[in-house]
Amino acid sequence: MTDAKNVELESVSTPRLILACPLQISVIDPGGQIWPKLQDQLQSSQLQLRRLSEQDTLPKSGRQVLLLVDHPMIATVFDELERRSAQSLPVIVVGDPSHIGLMRRSMRLGAVDFLPFDYQPTELWSALTRVADKLAASAQLAPVTVVVNGKPGSGASFICANLGYALSQTEDEDKVLLVDANLHYGSLADYLNVHDKQGSLASGIERATEMDAMALAGMVSPARERLDVLPSVPPALTEHYVPTAKSCSQLMYLLRSQYQQVVVDLSRGPESWNLPVLECADHILVVMQQSLSALRETMYLLKRLRQELGIPKSRIILVINRYDKKKDLSLKKIEHTTEITQILTLLNDFTLAENCTDLGKLVVEIEKKHKLVKVFEDMVGEMTPQDTPQTTKPGLLKRWLG
């Protein structure tokens, strides 16, 4: 398992768990009593750890946690926190339990927890979990849909662009963000004819810990009404920037808090840095074509998703692109082999798809009444939670016969 999977507080005995949302932990430990221990314990894609001095400016509210370690030099920090108690941060205090004055002051601050110097890792994890649960409960996070190729070149980017547009045209008038997660050869912006690229996914990941809603707005590019795209701009060959799962997790939380729908083009499939995207996905659309070679590679991908990442079958939807019912590889055979029951099909119209990609237009912009337009609308219906059907009143004959 990678560091993107969960927090590992103890390398062997402590189970790996997932926080409800990423957190940024600011530690003030003038004596350095627990800082080395924290660096070993809090290795996670969901936690951003940094050390502050007692003179540094305290962080603002948000996904922030302040961890104070008792020391004579942090009295001024307590004074500052008491002055701004109305907008105080979640605070965890580490100190001597016999220090009654410190405990009383921690209570006045409304500290999340008070831990002894020799605390157990599970005690700290429990406090962080409560903070994350409270922040997540007050946040509205957009559902995430990931589109991934079962075999390279199966059409994930084409489907992603048209699906994103279909989501933006629902009655809810959701604001949709398309994310091109192909860091080296992304083409999603070209599919939408977006030339003015204001930012890129790579720069967003690099600045994830310092970005806010205003910075994000200056980074995405408008593609259509209620549809934005975060494009991929390939780095120079001389650059050696390597994205991390930690930064990716932080960025995804920001994206989900600013949009009502997030659709990610993950054409290249799972990589160590993008695992948080798959973990938070409500639906994963695996695109494949009707051939044995495509089925073979798709099976390998499904095995990784289900066995290595623990993603249940209920979150996976198979999309058969360029479907032809005359082929020997039928839908029943595909379902039996993959054990995926949710299967959607896209009819084979290679000429239309080629025109769309060449012109940078969506299917609906070339031919409004094309069958593919209805298919993408059906996809939206498949992924949208359905209301509980109303109970119909039984007919007269049925009431007579009980």
Side-chain angles (χ1 to χ4, degrees):
M1 307 294 276
T2 68
D3 69 337
K5 191 60 187 168
N6 308 309
V7 174
E8 183 179 13
L9 294 178
E10 291 180 319
S11 58
V12 177
S13 59
T14 302
R16 298 182 174 191
L17 301 172
I18 297 179
L19 290 171
C21 70
L23 296 175
Q24 298 180 19
I25 305 176
S26 299
V27 181
I28 299 182
D29 183 11
Q33 299 179 71
I34 69 169
W35 175 249
K37 183 166 65 172
L38 289 173
Q39 289 179 300
D40 291 335
Q41 293 173 348
L42 301 183
Q43 296 294 324
S44 166
S45 65
Q46 294 184 298
L47 297 177
Q48 188 75 27
L49 193 64
R50 64 170 182 166
R51 186 178 182 182
L52 302 178
S53 70
E54 60 277 6
Q55 287 86 23
D56 288 335
T57 304
L58 296 178
K60 298 180 180 179
S61 58
R63 292 177 288 113
Q64 301 277 354
V65 179
L66 187 60
L67 197 153
L68 299 178
V69 183
D70 186 27
H71 191 275
M73 297 176 66
I74 67 166
T76 56
V77 178
F78 276 97
D79 294 338
E80 175 64 22
L81 288 172
E82 289 181 351
R83 279 194 297 268
R84 50 183 280 190
S85 58
Q87 50 180 353
S88 61
L89 296 166
V91 177
I92 299 174
V93 180
V94 178
D96 185 355
S98 63
H99 193 331
I100 304 300
L102 178 63
M103 294 192 70
R104 286 178 176 173
R105 202 164 193 187
S106 302
M107 293 173 63
R108 288 200 301 269
L109 287 178
V112 176
D113 209 338
F114 186 100
L115 303 176
F117 287 115
D118 58 347
Y119 67 87
Q120 296 297 314
T122 51
E123 296 179 286
L124 176 58
W125 175 249
S126 176
L128 294 176
T129 301
R130 294 197 300 274
V131 174
D133 288 344
K134 185 176 181 179
L135 292 174
S138 62
Q140 296 292 331
L141 297 181
V144 176
T145 301
V146 173
V147 187
V148 56
N149 280 324
K151 180 181 180 181
S154 295
S157 297
F158 173 79
I159 292 173
C160 188
N162 286 276
L163 177 62
Y165 178 80
L167 284 167
S168 70
Q169 300 303 302
T170 59
E171 294 179 357
D172 297 332
E173 297 186 350
D174 290 343
K175 190 73 178 294
V176 180
L177 176 67
L178 295 176
V179 181
D180 193 341
N182 188 341
L183 293 179
H184 298 285
Y185 304 105
S187 57
L188 195 55
D190 297 329
Y191 276 77
L192 297 164
N193 200 28
V194 174
H195 300 293
D196 184 18
K197 300 177 182 179
Q198 303 180 52
S200 68
L201 177 62
S203 58
I205 292 176
E206 191 172 9
R207 298 171 51 199
T209 57
E210 59 190 47
M211 283 179 59
D212 55 14
M214 186 175 297
L216 177 63
M219 185 168 289
V220 299
S221 302
R224 301 292 188 273
E225 185 181 3
R226 299 197 301 274
L227 181 65
D228 293 341
V229 60
L230 183 58
S232 173
V233 177
L237 294 176
T238 55
E239 292 185 13
H240 299 288
Y241 170 69
V242 179
T244 63
K246 185 188 297 290
S247 298
C248 178
S249 179
Q250 299 280 343
L251 179 62
M252 284 300 299
Y253 188 87
L254 176 62
L255 301 182
R256 297 177 67 193
S257 65
Q258 299 303 313
Y259 286 86
Q260 286 75 54
Q261 294 278 350
V262 177
V263 183
V264 183
D265 179 5
L266 207 66
S267 300
R268 290 170 60 91
E271 299 179 65
S272 60
W273 68 269
N274 64 32
L275 295 185
V277 178
L278 292 165
E279 289 168 357
C280 70
D282 296 79
H283 300 96
I284 299 176
L285 274 60
V286 178
V287 185
M288 63 169 289
Q289 297 183 20
Q290 275 179 288
S291 68
L292 291 176
S293 61
L295 180 60
R296 188 182 304 114
E297 294 194 32
T298 299
M299 285 298 300
Y300 177 70
L301 172 64
L302 292 174
K303 182 179 179 182
R304 299 193 69 181
L305 292 177
R306 294 176 56 189
Q307 297 184 10
E308 294 185 33
L309 299 180
I311 295 173
K313 291 189 293 184
S314 58
R315 288 165 53 189
I316 301 174
I317 301 175
L318 270 185
V319 180
I320 314 301
N321 194 14
R322 301 169 192 162
Y323 172 68
D324 185 353
K325 62 181 179 180
K326 296 180 182 179
K327 287 191 175 183
D328 293 334
L329 189 58
S330 65
L331 294 181
K332 285 187 177 181
K333 292 179 180 178
I334 293 175
E335 179 180 347
H336 177 74
T337 305
T338 62
E339 299 181 352
I340 302 297
T341 57
Q342 298 183 83
I343 300 179
L344 302 175
T345 61
L346 271 70
L347 57 87
N348 187 5
D349 195 334
F350 182 77
T351 302
L352 176 68
E354 190 176 41
N355 288 338
C356 289
T357 55
D358 289 344
L359 299 175
K361 292 186 177 182
L362 302 164
V363 173
V364 69
E365 295 170 340
I366 291 183
E367 192 174 337
K368 289 185 178 180
K369 296 184 179 181
H370 196 279
K371 292 181 180 180
L372 281 176
V373 176
K374 180 65 167 60
V375 171
F376 289 117
E377 292 174 353
D378 291 342
M379 277 190 186
V380 173
E382 188 78 16
M383 296 184 300
T384 304
Q386 301 296 320
D387 295 331
T388 304
Q390 296 182 353
T391 305
T392 58
K393 188 176 180 180
L396 180 61
L397 182 61
K398 198 163 189 175
R399 280 180 284 167
W400 280 353
L401 300 178

